[in-house]
Structure formats: structure tokens, C-alpha cells
């Protein structure tokens, strides 16, 4: 097992810095820097190798699947959490009578505004009050009914560190057949995911935080 000191040596900034901002943007490791340099040099010398790029994508999906306990075939590369939320939201047609979605009133923008757009399609966008720094099942339960089609929340809140009770919230949503969308940006790479994975329909995460990509623009 790699020691903390050995792990720190893989990130150049830690030679002079106690870096505590990984929850915002992680540090670039030597492995990441070397991969970027090799790619840019090959791109400049030989042009874009699409086959090699697809293979790298497959390796990335397999690595994430292994980390979170999923099947690689269920992992997709995305541009951002907001893009993933927007993609899901765009699949909903015009609302039938009484249909609604439930989100957090102070949820991070990536997992808030894409769902707010569903108001234009006639959905009642219900916003759960935050308690203890996040969405608690007791605040969500009165908002979920037979017309609820989706419940969206963060597994761990970016502003407060509040960890949601994913199993309990999912049970409320699935009881009425609603989709469970979870922003895992502050979860994946920092905490175990597998125990709650079966309760989640869509898990979206960026990779520039605890997954240590640091380049942004991928998830």
C-alpha cells in the first residue's frame, strides 16, 4: 500500500505546499502531467490519433467503474455535471397534469438550474428547504407524490460538506417511480460509492476534484 508521503511525492506542489483545496480543484500528479505532454507532443508530430483516443477513453471508463463498483458499460464520459443534468432534463417531454421534479433550494447550480428549465415544459419544480446544510429525507418527503418524475440532489454538498442519506431519499423517489439523479462531485474519489450505487439511477461527477484530473472539462 502506498504511504501518504509516497503519494504526496507524486504531486509536485506538495513539496512546498499543504494543499487543502482538492474539493474545488485537485492537484495535477506527475502521471497526469506526463500524459498531457506525451499527448501534445504526439498530436504536434503525428496529428490526432482517434483510435488511440478511443482506447484511452475506454481505459478511463474502466478505471472509474472499478473505483465505484460499476460495470464499464454503464459509465459514460461527460463534459460536466451540468451537461449531464441538461441531457437528462432534455429527455422529458411536455408535462402531464400534476407532474413535478424535486430539487434543493440551495443546490449547487450545476444540479439546480438544468431542472428549473423544466418549468417551461409545465413541470412543477419543487424546491426542498435545506436543513443541516443539505437535503434531508424529512424535508423531501412532503414534496414527493405520484406526479414526481425526478428527484435530484448532491451526495455531498459542496458548500457545507453535508452528506445526503442517499438510500432514504432514493426510497422516497423510487416508491413513486421517479428517477434519482445524484451529483457525486464531492463524493467520487473521496468516499465509498458502491454501497449506494444501486439506489442511484444517474450519478454524475466531475473529475477535477477528488479524481485528481485537474484539467477540468471532463467527468
Amino acid at each position: 500500500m502506498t504511504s501518504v508521503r509516497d503519494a504526496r511525492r507524486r504531486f509536485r506542489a506538495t513539496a512546498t505546499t499543504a494543499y487543502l483545496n482538492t474539493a474545488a480543484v485537485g492537484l495535477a500528479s506527475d502521471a497526469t502531467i506526463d500524459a498531457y505532454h506525451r499527448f501534445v507532443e504526439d498530436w504536434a508530430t503525428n496529428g490526432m490519433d482517434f483510435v488511440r483516443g478511443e482506447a484511452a477513453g475506454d481505459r478511463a471508463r474502466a478505471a472509474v467503474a472499478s473505483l465505484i463498483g460499476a460495470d464499464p458499460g454503464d459509465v459514460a464520459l461527460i463534459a460536466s455535471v451540468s451537461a449531464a443534468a441538461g441531457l437528462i432534463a432534455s429527455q422529458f417531454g411536455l408535462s402531464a397534469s400534476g407532474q413535478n421534479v424535486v430539487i434543493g433550494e440551495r443546490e449547487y447550480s450545476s444540479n439546480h438550474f438544468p431542472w428549473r428549465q423544466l418549468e417551461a415544459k409545465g413541470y412543477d419544480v419543487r424546491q426542498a428547504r435545506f436543513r443541516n446544510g443539505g437535503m434531508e429525507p424529512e424535508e423531501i418527503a412532503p414534496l414527493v407524490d405520484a406526479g414526481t418524475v425526478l428527484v435530484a440532489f448532491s451526495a455531498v454538498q459542496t458548500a457545507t460538506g453535508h452528506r445526503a442519506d442517499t438510500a432514504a431519499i432514493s426510497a422516497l423517489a423510487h416508491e413513486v417511480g421517479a428517477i434519482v439523479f445524484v451529483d457525486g462531485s464531492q463524493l467520487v474519489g473521496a468516499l465509498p460509492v458502491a454501497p449506494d450505487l444501486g439506489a442511484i439511477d444517474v450519478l454524475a461527477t466531475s473529475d477535477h476534484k477528488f479524481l485528481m484530473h485537474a484539467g477540468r472539462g471532463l467527468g
Side-chain angles (χ1 to χ4, degrees):
M1 179 179 292
T2 301
S3 71
V4 172
R5 289 184 181 277
D6 287 339
R8 284 176 60 86
R9 292 189 186 101
R10 301 180 184 185
F11 299 85
R12 298 179 191 178
T14 62
T16 56
T17 303
Y19 190 80
L20 303 176
N21 205 29
T22 301
V25 180
L27 289 174
S29 67
D30 286 341
T32 299
I33 294 168
D34 290 344
Y36 266 102
H37 286 171
R38 288 195 304 272
F39 172 78
V40 171
E41 182 61 30
D42 187 59
W43 184 15
T45 304
N46 303 309
M48 180 63 70
D49 186 337
F50 290 99
V51 174
R52 185 174 167 187
E54 290 289 344
D58 287 342
R59 290 195 299 275
R61 294 191 302 110
V64 171
S66 176
L67 177 68
I68 67 175
D71 186 287
D74 290 329
V75 178
L77 300 180
I78 60 172
S80 62
V81 171
S82 57
L87 177 63
I88 300 300
S90 69
Q91 306 307 304
F92 288 99
L94 295 176
S95 170
S97 178
Q99 287 190 313
N100 63 82
V101 299
V102 178
I103 63 176
E105 65 175 2
R106 292 165 54 197
E107 186 62 64
Y108 190 73
S109 57
S110 298
N111 198 20
H112 182 87
F113 290 109
W115 312 116
R116 292 281 298 274
Q117 304 306 307
L118 288 173
E119 290 176 338
K121 292 185 176 181
Y123 292 87
D124 179 14
V125 179
R126 301 174 176 178
Q127 299 186 47
R129 183 175 68 91
F130 269 29
R131 186 162 58 83
N132 302 323
M135 290 175 69
E136 296 284 3
E138 294 79 8
E139 300 295 331
I140 297 171
L143 304 179
V144 175
D145 58 28
T148 304
V149 296
L150 176 137
V151 177
F153 61 96
S154 289
V156 178
Q157 286 294 330
T158 184
T160 65
H162 173 277
R163 186 170 185 181
D165 187 339
T166 298
I169 297 173
S170 174
L172 292 170
H174 286 162
E175 185 176 2
V176 297
I179 294 171
V180 175
F181 182 100
V182 174
D183 179 351
S185 296
Q186 302 294 347
L187 172 73
V188 180
L191 295 166
V193 179
D196 287 329
L197 201 57
I200 300 170
D201 297 305
V202 182
L203 174 69
T205 182
S206 58
D207 72 345
H208 60 266
K209 300 188 180 197
F210 294 102
L211 288 178
M212 299 298 203
H213 173 229
R216 307 196 69 158
L218 191 65

